[in-house]
Amino acid sequence: MSKTIVTLRKKAISQGRMSLYLDFYPAVWNANSNDFTRREFLKLYIYQKPADQYQKMANSENLHTAELIRARRQNEINKSEIYSPFEKEQLQIQARGNESFLMYYKKLGQKKSGKNLSIWNCAIGHFEAFLNGNDLLFKDVTVALIEDFRDYLLKARSMRKNKKQLSRNTALSYYNKIKTALKAAYKEDKLRTDINAKIGTIKEMESQRSFMTLEETRRLFATPCSNILVRRISMFSVLTGLRYVDIAKLVWSEIHRIENDGYYIIFRQKKTEGAESLPISEEAYELLGKRKGEKELVFKGLNKWDVDRTLPVWVALSGIRKHITFHCFRHTFATLQITAGTDIFTVSKMLGHRSVKTTQVYAKVIDQKKRDAANRISLGVPKA
């Protein structure tokens, strides 16, 4: 590692004055800004052209003070070279402990994009509210503090205009963001303890997932739809399990035919950013229409507003009384697959779930339907 040289420099400012500052080369770590810096402004000034004896004396005193500060900084840097390896390690630990965990958390969030960025920003906003405007250093991050934040989230209200209490699953989502930051910080040796492994979690609440039966699905697609494109993508979602966002961005270069193996969509999920290779049926492929340029959208002209406006009317005309959104087609794909006998692990892979636990909710829905069906039959005769 090269030796850092500290040089006193001057910078012209207003009213004929010059600001005195230190120049570090190479740069040194600044614990206040949590970043490397080349400069330290001393808040000392001299006159470029002193007009009288008073200004000359002020120049002399400030230059002398600045030089003393420069020499002290140089000595502090040089002193680090005589520390033993153990002492250096302890100093590094101390320096890391004085860095801002909150700033680190924010920088992680800034790396996100799209809807994920919005969720991270909300999670960080709640953490700042929990800290009540204070900073949080790495050395002050404890299991007790993070679990207090968990309790805060379970009682917190939304920062949006409605001010509703956060749902348990929203609180879980925000809590998982802080856990991600803790895990990353420990991996980078910024935390001496794996706090993420020691803290409790928030139990996920299973949400109601509306879906259509096979009979309802056939009835819907037998009903005329005012927007042909909406009908096509709806059928495509039921046959593939794809989300609207992934259907909307689908381009022809992602559609592949493998000889003796049929058609595949090879794409990256927008929600999870995971790379997927999804086999699709001949029926699903036919819904894509005539192949166009590789970079062209498959469902060109698709508009979310048209979907939101058309779907409720179309569902009502079919006689289905359930509240069906476009995302329900993905749920319908999953439940129809499991009902038809496809194992849950295969369905999980086809949906692009990272964990089979996410898919198990569909199996529970099917099990409950079986239980309901079993209870519908009663012989109504006395017991023997």
Side-chain angles (χ1 to χ4, degrees):
M1 181 176 179
S2 59
K3 182 179 178 180
T4 298
I5 304 299
V6 185
T7 307
L8 179 61
R9 299 195 187 282
K10 305 165 188 176
K11 180 181 179 182
I13 56 174
S14 62
Q15 299 175 349
R17 298 178 304 160
M18 301 188 79
S19 175
L20 301 177
Y21 69 94
L22 300 181
D23 183 306
F24 301 92
Y25 185 82
V28 294
W29 180 259
N30 186 322
N32 293 323
S33 64
N34 291 303
D35 204 352
F36 284 95
T37 184
R38 281 281 311 274
R39 295 179 177 181
E40 178 187 347
F41 285 92
L42 303 178
K43 297 183 180 179
L44 294 172
Y45 311 95
I46 61 173
Y47 297 95
Q48 292 189 55
K49 297 179 180 180
D52 51 37
Q53 191 63 28
Y54 171 78
Q55 290 186 355
K56 288 180 180 179
M57 288 178 61
N59 279 5
S60 178
E61 289 179 2
N62 287 344
L63 281 168
H64 179 68
T65 302
E67 178 57 33
L68 289 175
I69 296 173
R70 184 207 66 77
R72 186 165 66 246
R73 294 288 188 273
Q74 186 70 74
N75 286 337
E76 288 171 353
I77 292 170
N78 289 342
K79 188 178 179 182
S80 65
E81 297 177 4
I82 64 173
Y83 288 137
S84 69
F86 175 76
E87 288 173 324
K88 286 183 178 179
E89 182 182 1
Q90 294 306 305
L91 287 171
Q92 289 172 354
I93 291 171
Q94 184 179 2
R96 286 194 293 265
N98 287 323
E99 294 175 25
S100 171
F101 173 77
L102 179 59
M103 186 68 67
Y104 176 82
Y105 186 20
K106 286 182 175 181
K107 286 183 178 179
L108 276 183
Q110 290 167 3
K111 296 177 182 178
K112 309 302 175 181
S113 61
K115 187 177 179 181
N116 200 18
L117 174 61
S118 176
I119 295 172
W120 270 78
N121 286 340
C122 288
I124 293 168
H126 277 285
F127 192 58
E128 288 184 298
F130 167 73
L131 295 176
N132 198 25
N134 298 314
D135 195 4
L136 179 65
L137 305 182
F138 278 102
K139 66 182 181 182
D140 297 322
V141 180
T142 62
V143 170
L145 182 136
I146 301 301
E147 291 194 334
D148 283 346
F149 177 57
R150 178 192 62 192
D151 295 339
Y152 159 87
L153 285 174
L154 291 171
K155 299 174 184 176
R157 293 188 173 276
S158 171
M159 292 182 171
R160 297 176 181 174
K161 290 182 179 180
N162 59 30
K163 299 294 182 184
K164 289 183 179 179
Q165 184 170 341
L166 297 181
S167 70
R168 176 174 285 270
N169 287 352
T170 299
L172 170 61
S173 175
Y174 293 168
Y175 190 57
N176 282 341
K177 304 299 178 287
I178 199 81
K179 284 171 66 68
T180 297
L182 291 168
K183 186 176 180 180
Y186 178 68
K187 189 175 181 180
E188 294 176 27
D189 290 328
K190 292 182 177 294
L191 285 172
R192 298 188 66 188
T193 305
D194 188 1
I195 292 177
N196 176 61
K198 295 183 176 183
I199 57 178
T201 186
I202 295 176
K203 187 176 180 181
E204 183 176 7
M205 182 178 290
E206 291 184 2
S207 55
Q208 286 292 107
R209 305 199 177 194
S210 295
F211 66 95
M212 297 184 298
T213 63
L214 182 58
E215 187 275 328
E216 288 170 333
T217 305
R218 287 172 173 168
R219 191 197 319 167
L220 176 67
F221 294 128
T223 302
C225 179
S226 62
N227 189 310
I228 300 302
L229 187 54
V230 171
R231 182 177 184 274
R232 281 174 60 206
I233 66 168
S234 299
M235 291 181 71
F236 191 72
S237 181
V238 168
L239 291 171
T240 63
L242 283 178
R243 300 179 180 88
Y244 173 84
V245 289
D246 292 322
I247 292 175
K249 70 180 184 65
L250 196 62
V251 293
W252 281 104
S253 62
E254 295 172 318
I255 310 299
H256 302 266
R257 184 180 184 278
I258 299 177
E259 195 170 349
N260 300 323
D261 197 21
Y263 296 99
Y264 280 81
I265 300 176
I266 300 176
F267 70 110
R268 188 171 293 278
Q269 288 194 84
K270 188 167 184 178
K271 180 177 180 181
T272 65
E273 299 182 353
E276 304 293 339
S277 177
L278 177 69
I280 63 173
S281 65
E282 189 81 31
E283 185 178 358
Y285 179 78
E286 289 176 0
L287 289 167
L288 302 178
K290 186 178 179 181
R291 193 176 186 99
K292 300 181 178 63
E294 295 293 276
K295 293 184 179 180
E296 282 196 53
L297 291 171
V298 174
F299 296 102
K300 195 172 181 179
L302 188 57
N303 189 305
K304 188 64 164 65
W305 167 242
D306 288 337
V307 177
D308 294 338
R309 180 178 55 182
T310 303
L311 195 55
V313 177
W314 183 30
V315 171
L317 285 173
S318 72
I320 297 172
R321 298 292 172 250
K322 296 175 181 177
H323 176 63
I324 301 296
T325 65
F326 192 88
H327 200 67
C328 294
F329 296 141
R330 179 172 165 87
H331 301 327
T332 298
F333 166 82
T335 52
L336 291 181
Q337 285 285 355
I338 293 174
T339 303
T342 306
D343 67 89
I344 193 168
F345 296 100
T346 300
V347 175
S348 180
K349 290 296 183 184
M350 294 182 77
L351 290 172
H353 287 163
R354 290 178 175 175
S355 171
V356 74
K357 289 182 180 179
T358 310
T359 322
Q360 283 175 340
V361 65
Y362 298 111
K364 291 180 181 178
V365 169
I366 300 303
D367 289 343
Q368 184 58 46
K369 291 294 179 183
K370 289 178 180 177
R371 167 55 56 195
D372 293 343
N375 291 335
R376 289 192 189 105
I377 300 177
S378 173
L379 299 179
V381 297
K383 294 179 182 179

